[in-house]
Amino acid sequence: MNVFNKYVGQVFDGRYKIERTVGEGGMAVVFEATDLLTNRKVAVKMLKDSVAGNTQAIKRFIIESKAVAMLNHENIVKVYDISVRGEHKYIVMELLKGITLRKYMENKGVLSWQETVAFSEQILSALSHAHMKGVIHRDIKPQNIMLLEGGFVKVTDFGIAKIPKAETLTMADKAIGTVFYLSPEQAQCKKIDLRSDLYSLGVMMYEMATGRMPFTADTPAVVIYQHITKAPVPPSQINPSIPIGLEQIILCAMEKNPDDRYHSAPQMLRHLSRLRQDPSVVFVRRRSVQKTPTAELAISKTARGGGSSAKPPVKEPKKPSPSKKKRPPSGGRAKVSPSSDDEGAGVPLWLAACIFIAFLALAVIGIIVIYNLLFSGKNVDFEFATEAEAAILQIKNFLSGGNPV
C-alpha cells in the first residue's frame, strides 16, 4: 500500500483536493489534485513528513516558488501557489503529463544526435529566459527535465536556484546525485554565474549522445575531483556517429575555465541551430569564446550576490608603447614631471621685451594717425613715427649687446 494514499481525498487549505500520487523524490511527493476554485487539474508537490520540519527543506521550497514566479516561459514549469505555514507544506504547479528525461534515457539508451539537439535547444531557450532574469538553476540534470507529448521539454525543480537578492543554498544542501553534473566552480564552492548551468547542460548532452556520463567513480568525492581536473573522453570515441560539430559544442560547454565556455545560452543555441540545419558544419574555435553585450549583461546579472570565496579577476594595466607618449585621461590635465625633457624651454626675455615695445610703439603711432585724420584735417605727419622707429632700433641694439646710436 502506498504510504501517501492517506492523503487521497483530502482537501488542502480548503482548495486543493488530492486525487492520486504521481511521483516521489527524496524530499517530496507529488500528487495530482483539483483546484476547486478554478476547477483546474494541478500538481501538488508536498514535503514529506520526515523533512517537513527541516529548515533547509523549507528554504528550498521558498526559493523554488520565488524563482519560478519570476519566470514566464513555455519551457519552464509554472507555479501557481505555495504554502509553508500550515500542517502541509506544498507548492502548486501546472500538471505535466510526461516522463523525466532520465527515465527516457534509461528506456532508450543512446539518443540520436537529432534528439540531443532538439532537447538541448529547448533547455537552452528556458535557461536563456531564466538567466536574463538573474536566475541560475544550479541543478540541471535529466531528473529535472520533463518530456511531454511530441518531444516538448519543461525545465523543473528550481529548489536550489540562485535568485537575485536572496539567500542561496550551498553545495552541502544538494542531493548527492547532482555531483555528476556539477561544474568545476560549483564543486570548489567558488562564485558562479550562468556558465555553470551551461557546463551542466554540456554534461547532460554528453550523456545523451554517448549513453554514459563523462565522469564516474565509486565515491562522490572522486567524481568532483574529476570535474575539476580531468578532461572528458571525446564523445566521438564512444559514439563515432555523432557529428563533429556536436562534439565541439559539448566540449566547449564543458571547459574547466568558464571563460573558455559559451558565455550565454543564446550563443550556444545559435551553434546548435546551425548544426541542426547543417550536420556537417565544423566550427572554427577561437582561442577564447567571444563575449557579446547580451552575454556580458546576463553574466553580470547572474554573478551578483555569489559566493565570497571567489576573487574578482584582476586586469593588469597595459604598458604604454615606447614609441608613443602616454595620453592624459580625458577631462584632466597631464602632470608635468620635474625631469621632463621640456624643462627650461620658453621665449628669451630680450625677445619678449622687444616684441612688447614694438607693439606699444605701433599702438602709439596708430593713435596719432587716427587723431590727425579726424581732427586736424591736414596731411598726416609721419615725423613722430620715424622718431619712434629710431627709438626701437636703439633698444634692439642695446639688448643685443651693441652700442646705442
Side-chain angles (χ1 to χ4, degrees), residues 106-385:
E106 288 175 352
N107 293 338
K108 191 167 183 180
V110 178
L111 306 189
S112 68
W113 72 265
Q114 292 93 338
E115 280 188 310
T116 300
V117 170
F119 295 157
S120 300
E121 283 182 315
Q122 295 181 69
I123 296 169
L124 282 168
S125 182
L127 290 178
S128 176
H129 177 74
H131 293 164
M132 289 309 297
K133 296 288 187 179
V135 177
I136 312 175
H137 191 284
R138 300 205 303 176
D139 199 17
I140 293 295
K141 58 184 178 182
Q143 294 91 320
N144 291 336
I145 307 298
M146 286 293 295
L147 296 184
L148 311 184
E149 187 177 357
F152 197 72
V153 165
K154 288 275 189 178
V155 179
T156 69
D157 199 350
F158 284 76
I160 61 169
K162 177 174 172 285
I163 60 178
K165 299 180 182 179
E167 182 181 357
T168 55
L169 303 176
T170 63
M171 195 187 79
D173 301 313
K174 300 168 71 173
I176 200 67
T178 309
V179 299
F180 294 108
Y181 305 92
L182 278 181
S183 67
E185 57 271 26
Q186 271 182 292
Q188 297 176 86
C189 296
K190 291 183 176 180
K191 186 175 181 179
I192 66 168
D193 56 39
L194 62 87
R195 293 169 291 186
S196 183
D197 281 348
L198 301 185
Y199 179 93
S200 300
L201 177 58
V203 174
M204 201 165 69
M205 291 175 65
Y206 187 106
E207 186 178 4
M208 285 189 279
T210 65
R212 66 178 72 173
M213 286 179 284
F215 306 118
T216 57
D218 294 333
T219 63
V222 177
V223 175
I224 291 173
Y225 179 78
Q226 291 175 342
H227 276 296
I228 298 171
T229 62
K230 187 177 179 181
V233 175
S236 59
Q237 292 188 17
I238 303 171
N239 180 10
S241 66
I242 69 171
I244 296 176
L246 179 58
E247 176 173 278
Q248 289 180 303
I249 292 170
I250 292 172
L251 295 180
C252 181
M254 288 183 62
E255 287 283 359
K256 306 298 184 187
N257 185 349
D259 287 337
D260 294 331
R261 295 177 206 151
Y262 291 104
H263 290 295
S264 71
Q267 201 174 40
M268 187 172 174
L269 184 57
R270 285 193 293 272
H271 274 195
L272 279 174
S273 298
R274 187 176 170 191
L275 174 68
R276 175 169 43 80
Q277 296 167 6
D278 180 12
S280 64
V281 66
V282 176
F283 299 102
V284 177
R285 179 68 191 275
R286 296 184 177 91
R287 186 175 182 181
S288 180
V289 181
Q290 184 179 7
K291 286 185 183 179
T292 63
T294 303
E296 292 277 17
L297 176 61
I299 291 172
S300 174
K301 283 186 176 181
T302 56
R304 291 173 188 163
S308 59
S309 60
K311 296 181 179 180
V314 179
K315 293 185 178 180
E316 296 184 0
K318 295 182 179 180
K319 296 181 180 179
S321 172
S323 60
K324 296 182 180 180
K325 291 186 178 180
K326 189 175 181 180
R327 296 182 62 184
S330 59
R333 294 183 178 180
K335 294 182 178 179
V336 180
S337 170
S339 59
S340 172
D341 293 337
D342 295 331
E343 183 182 6
V347 180
L349 182 60
W350 67 267
L351 181 56
C354 289
I355 294 173
F356 174 77
I357 293 172
F359 277 108
L360 183 61
L362 290 174
V364 173
I365 294 172
I367 292 172
I368 295 173
V369 170
I370 294 173
Y371 179 84
N372 288 333
L373 288 174
L374 293 177
F375 298 103
S376 66
K378 299 178 182 180
N379 293 333
V380 179
D381 186 3
F382 289 99
E383 181 180 354
F384 180 79

Side-chain angles (χ1 to χ4, degrees), residues 55-123:
T55 303
Q56 291 297 318
I58 295 174
K59 281 183 180 179
R60 285 188 61 159
F61 256 47
I62 294 173
I63 288 173
E64 180 170 10
S65 63
K66 285 182 177 180
V68 181
M70 296 172 61
L71 309 175
N72 183 20
H73 192 274
E74 61 181 0
N75 294 117
I76 298 176
V77 65
K78 292 179 174 62
V79 168
Y80 302 130
D81 196 5
I82 181 172
S83 175
V84 294
R85 295 184 178 179
E87 178 185 1
H88 305 305
K89 297 173 176 59
Y90 59 89
I91 297 175
V92 181
M93 304 177 293
E94 66 173 315
L95 182 64
L96 302 176
K97 299 287 187 178
I99 62 173
T100 65
L101 179 58
R102 165 58 62 213
K103 187 69 174 177
Y104 184 78
M105 292 164 63
E106 288 175 352
N107 293 338
K108 191 167 183 180
V110 178
L111 306 189
S112 68
W113 72 265
Q114 292 93 338
E115 280 188 310
T116 300
V117 170
F119 295 157
S120 300
E121 283 182 315
Q122 295 181 69
I123 296 169

